[in-house]
Amino acid sequence: MDVYLDNAATTKLDERVLEKMKPYFTEKYGNASSIHHMGQESSVLLTKCKEEIAKRINGDPDNIIFTAGGTESNNMILKGVARANQGKGKHILVSSIEHASVLKPAEQLKKEGFDVELIPVNSGGFVELDQIKKMIRPETILISVMTVNNEIGTIQPVEQIARFARKNGIYFHTDAVQAIPYKDIDIKDWNVDFLSLSAHKFYGPKGVGLAYIDRKINIEPQVIGGGQEYGLRGGTYNLPSIVGMTEALKLIYQEKDEYINRVFELSQYLWKRIKEEIDEVAINGDPGNRTPNNLNVMFRRIEGEAILMDLSTKGICVSTGSACSAINLKASGVLQAIGLEDYHLNSNIRFSLGKFTTKEEIDYTVSCLVDTVKRLRSFTPIK
Ligand SMILES: Cc1ncc(COP(=O)(O)O)c(C=O)c1O
C-alpha cells in the first residue's frame, strides 16, 4: 500500500486544478506583457487572478507579486526590505524557528552588516510578544515571524506581533506558506506589511507562489529584467501556474471545514493508536495550538532516519523534519529551539496528513510502525 504522510513537504496537485491550467499551456499561451489580443487576454486574466486571491486574503490586488514559490518570496522580502530601508536602521528580528528560506537570507544580511537577531521560542514552540518587546530597538526595521511552523505545526500569534510592530513603526513579514487552510489569512485585520505563500502546499502546482508587498514601502527588487510586477520581479508571467494557484486557493477555502475536520479526526486517531501501541513516545511542540494535519512524534532511543527508511520500504512516506534539513541531514533547528535534549534530537518523525489521507492508510501506517519500532529498539544500544 502506498501512503503519503508528507503533505507539509508538498501536496498532490488537485485534478480540478490541473484541468483549469491546461488551456493556458496550449491554447491561451499569450505573454501577458504583449500588446496584441492574445497578450491582452492573458493580462486581463492575470489581473483577475490577483483580484480573486486578494479577496481571499483580504488584501489589495496591487500588492500581490507572483513568484516561483515560498523561497523566492521570503528572499525577496527579507533582502529587498532590508537593503532598501537601511537608512532607517539595520536591526532585524527573525524567529528562531523560521524555514531556511528566511534564516539563510537573514544570515546573508548579517554578512552584509545588518544586525540580525533570532527571537527565541518557548518550549511549546511559540514566539512570545513579551520577548519581542524586550528585543526591539529604535533602529529595528523588520520583524519576521512565520504564521505556522512547518515542522511542529505551531500557530504563531502573528496578529498580535504585527499590531505591535505597526504601532512601533517596524515592518512585519510573515511566512504563511504552511497556514492554508488552517488559519484564515486576513492581511488588513492582521496589519501585516509582507506575507509569503506557495501553491504546492495547498494542492496547487509547484514553482509558483506570491509575495504580498505593501507597495507604499520601499523594497529593492532582487530579480530585474523586463519590468514585470511593477519592476519588482522581472520575468515572463507563469500564467498556467498562476491560474492553478488561484483555483487551488479557491477550492481549499471552499472545502475548508470538511477538510479540517477530516484531518483533525485522522491525526487524533493516529496519535491515539501510536500512544496505545508504542512505548516511549511523545509529541513535539504544543499538542493543542497546532495545525490539525501535523503530528511530530519522538520515538525515544531510536533514530528518526532509520524509522523513515524502514517505513519507506513499506510504501509509507513520512519525514524527520523539513525537506531542507533532510538534504543536509542536520539536526532540526526547530526541535533544538524548543529545548529538546541533544540525545532526543534525531529520534523524531513528522507525519503530515492531507486531504487524500484515509483511515485505512493510517491503520496500515500504525501496523508497520509498531513492527519498525520494535525491531529497531531490539538492537539499539541506548537504554
Ligand atoms: C514554512 C515554509 N516556508 C517556505 C517554504 C519554501 O517554499 P517553496 O517550496 O515554495 O520554495 C516552505 C517549504 O517547505 C515552508 O514550509
Side-chain angles (χ1 to χ4, degrees):
M1 188 177 203
D2 286 331
V3 180
Y4 186 74
L5 297 178
D6 199 13
N7 288 277
T10 196
T11 57
K12 177 177 155 178
L13 183 75
D14 189 309
E15 303 274 351
R16 294 167 295 177
V17 172
L18 179 62
E19 286 310 311
K20 206 66 184 193
M21 291 169 69
K22 276 182 184 167
Y24 301 97
F25 287 109
T26 52
E27 294 159 36
K28 304 176 182 180
Y29 52 84
N31 185 326
S33 305
S34 298
I35 314 246
H36 51 65
H37 73 279
M38 279 181 71
Q40 286 313 294
E41 278 164 27
S42 295
S43 172
V44 167
L45 182 62
L46 182 80
T47 306
K48 264 199 193 145
C49 288
K50 289 196 177 184
E51 285 167 358
E52 213 173 295
I53 293 176
K55 241 189 260 158
R56 290 183 200 285
I57 60 176
N58 196 22
D60 181 341
D62 293 339
N63 288 343
I64 290 174
I65 309 294
F66 288 116
T67 65
T71 301
E72 186 191 329
S73 301
N74 288 340
N75 270 268
M76 177 189 227
I77 294 165
L78 269 271
K79 293 184 210 165
V81 174
R83 289 171 184 163
N85 294 281
Q86 50 186 313
K88 292 187 189 154
K90 289 188 124 186
H91 185 232
I92 295 170
L93 292 176
V94 168
S95 100
S96 53
I97 56 167
E98 293 298 307
H99 186 262
S101 56
V102 166
L103 291 175
K104 289 273 170 72
E107 263 172 43
Q108 193 177 334
L109 289 169
K110 203 167 181 173
K111 286 186 194 137
E112 290 174 21
F114 285 88
D115 185 359
V116 181
E117 278 191 291
L118 295 184
I119 312 160
V121 293
N122 63 22
S123 60
F126 301 104
V127 173
E128 290 169 339
L129 181 59
D130 281 347
Q131 182 64 46
I132 293 182
K133 285 183 181 166
K134 283 188 223 149
M135 294 177 82
I136 59 158
R137 306 181 201 152
E139 61 274 20
T140 310
I141 50 171
L142 177 67
I143 300 174
S144 181
V145 176
M146 68 203 320
T147 315
V148 167
N149 180 262
N150 48 305
E151 291 189 39
I152 53 176
T154 46
I155 302 170
Q156 304 300 323
V158 286
E159 303 93 316
Q160 224 190 357
I161 302 170
R163 254 177 236 136
F164 170 78
R166 180 145 306 167
K167 251 199 199 153
N168 287 276
I170 302 167
Y171 300 135
F172 181 75
H173 164 242
T174 188
D175 171 353
V177 162
Q178 294 283 345
I180 294 177
Y182 308 107
K183 194 168 158 88
D184 277 332
I185 294 177
D186 191 323
I187 301 268
K188 290 187 182 147
D189 182 54
W190 293 6
N191 291 300
V192 298
D193 302 300
F194 308 103
L195 177 140
S196 311
L197 288 181
S198 176
H200 74 104
K201 305 289 186 181
F202 50 88
Y203 311 93
K206 293 173 182 50
V208 63
L210 68 81
Y212 187 91
I213 291 179
D214 182 338
R215 290 204 299 115
K216 292 194 292 300
I217 301 170
N218 267 344
I219 171 160
E220 184 192 280
Q222 304 303 306
V223 179
I224 52 175
Q228 288 90 346
E229 299 287 21
Y230 323 102
L232 287 177
R233 199 259 189 184
T236 301
Y237 293 101
N238 181 357
L239 204 58
S241 295
I242 291 168
V243 167
M245 177 171 180
T246 311
E247 185 67 9
L249 196 62
K250 181 183 101 186
L251 292 172
I252 195 93
Y253 271 121
Q254 268 173 6
E255 296 165 2
K256 187 179 85 152
D257 293 343
E258 196 200 325
Y259 171 103
I260 291 180
N261 287 340
R262 249 176 58 78
V263 288
F264 180 68
E265 265 174 34
L266 286 174
S267 63
Q268 294 285 100
Y269 175 66
L270 172 60
W271 175 232
K272 180 173 171 286
R273 286 207 52 195
I274 291 177
K275 234 179 4 184
E276 282 171 2
E277 296 174 43
I278 304 176
D279 292 336
E280 298 181 75
V281 290
I283 290 193
N284 294 314
D286 190 88
N289 191 5
R290 65 197 297 142
T291 54
N293 67 326
N294 174 294
L295 194 63
N296 191 314
V297 181
M298 179 196 296
F299 295 88
R300 293 196 178 92
R301 297 190 295 116
I302 41 177
E303 291 274 324
E305 305 295 338
I307 301 176
L308 182 155
M309 294 309 293
D310 203 55
L311 290 180
S312 179
T313 64
K314 294 166 182 164
I316 301 166
C317 298
V318 294
S319 88
T320 51
S322 75
C324 318
S325 54
I327 296 169
N328 300 324
L329 277 183
K330 272 202 220 143
S332 155
V334 173
L335 299 181
Q336 269 170 324
I338 64 171
L340 252 62
E341 302 285 356
D342 284 353
Y343 51 88
H344 285 148
L345 280 176
N346 292 316
S347 299
N348 307 289
I349 289 290
R350 176 185 72 184
F351 303 91
S352 49
L353 284 60
K355 74 171 168 181
F356 302 113
T357 309
T358 63
K359 182 160 179 289
E360 291 67 38
E361 290 175 350
I362 299 291
D363 285 328
Y364 174 69
T365 302
V366 177
S367 66
C368 294
L369 197 56
V370 169
D371 281 353
T372 298
V373 171
K374 197 168 163 194
R375 214 167 42 76
L376 292 173
R377 283 206 180 128
S378 73
F379 45 74
T380 178
I382 310 163
K383 293 287 168 238

